[in-house]
Amino acid sequence: MVRALADEFPDVTISKVRFLEAEGLVTPSRTASGYRKFTDGDVERLRYVLRAQRDRFWPLRVIKDNLDALDRGLTLAPGHGGRPAAPDLPPDPDVPEVSELAVGTTLRLTPAELAGATGLAPAAVADLVTHGLLRPGSDGLHDEADLAVAHAAAGLAGYGVEPRHLRGFRAAADREVGLVEQVVGARRGQDATRSAAEVAHLCLRLHAALVRGGLAEGH
């Protein structure tokens, strides 16, 4: 283990590592006979400690706090002076991008075509319309949003979820749309479309984060 660090830290010794272990900065596992087993993660942890002491002159208390932050999922990123920071979240693949929300659709499906595309029975499509989940146009045709809703409803039906159970989703979506319209206010034209898409994107991110958080609390 000391050999793995010696190239960068030629002065490191077993005694130094034992001292850092006694201070709680690294906790290698032990074999049945009591020998220490240092993993690659342990070596990288020691490397962080030794660099912090050599390059930044941090006391062990500060280093220990930073290690605790790393253990809690924070990451090392440029611009933070070697201190851990909250990680940048990747784009949520389940949340449409602003550019997608700002673009309209020309797709128009008959109820029969919608049923065929989603595997729903025609009666189930009609039931989704009755409960406000699907909103055909004045011509009786369904757009891309209805297609997405019908696909989701078909999947939920496999778990015994009926259209009447989903009315709360429509009510919640309508409230979010109302909030978007309120925020965008008096803007007009392309500026309004872009702003509405940006606000809607943030609302969807918030909704997804709250659902994930709620599921995590239940486990």
Side-chain angles (χ1 to χ4, degrees):
M1 184 276 309
V2 170
R3 287 195 297 271
L5 298 167
D7 287 345
E8 185 176 357
F9 308 98
D11 297 332
V12 69
T13 62
I14 293 177
S15 297
K16 172 72 170 179
V17 173
R18 296 279 171 81
F19 169 74
L20 295 175
E21 180 185 354
E23 291 294 316
L25 280 83
V26 64
T27 53
S29 61
R30 290 178 179 266
T31 65
S33 55
Y35 289 103
R36 293 170 176 81
K37 292 179 62 178
F38 288 89
T39 64
D40 291 343
D42 292 327
V43 173
E44 286 307 307
R45 194 177 182 90
L46 285 168
R47 200 183 306 277
Y48 178 84
V49 173
L50 295 171
R51 284 174 180 167
Q53 289 183 311
R54 182 194 64 192
D55 301 339
R56 303 184 184 278
F57 306 104
W58 286 348
L60 292 183
R61 175 184 55 79
V62 173
I63 297 173
K64 190 176 295 186
D65 289 343
N66 287 348
L67 287 172
D68 174 67
L70 291 172
D71 290 340
R72 290 185 285 105
L74 281 72
T75 60
L76 296 175
H80 292 278
R83 295 181 183 275
D88 292 330
L89 294 178
D92 189 331
D94 296 324
V95 175
E97 293 296 327
V98 173
S99 58
E100 298 176 71
L101 292 168
V103 175
T105 176
T106 58
L107 180 66
R108 309 296 289 168
L109 298 173
T110 66
E113 290 168 339
L114 184 66
T118 59
L120 290 169
V125 171
D127 204 14
L128 288 168
V129 173
T130 298
H131 288 91
L133 275 301
L134 299 179
R135 289 178 173 173
S138 57
D139 56 4
L141 300 179
H142 297 274
D143 60 12
E144 188 174 325
D146 273 3
L147 178 61
V149 170
H151 270 298
L156 289 168
Y159 292 91
V161 180
E162 301 176 12
R164 61 189 176 89
H165 300 140
L166 303 175
R167 288 178 294 185
F169 286 90
R170 171 55 75 187
D174 287 343
R175 286 195 296 270
E176 290 185 18
V177 171
L179 175 62
V180 172
E181 293 174 344
Q182 179 181 346
V183 171
V184 173
R187 299 188 184 188
R188 295 288 184 269
Q190 290 186 343
D191 184 49
T193 301
R194 177 71 184 183
S195 298
E198 290 172 349
V199 176
H201 175 76
L202 293 171
C203 287
L204 291 171
R205 284 183 60 185
L206 173 62
H207 178 83
L210 290 172
V211 171
R212 287 195 182 95
L215 290 173
E217 290 173 3
H219 290 81

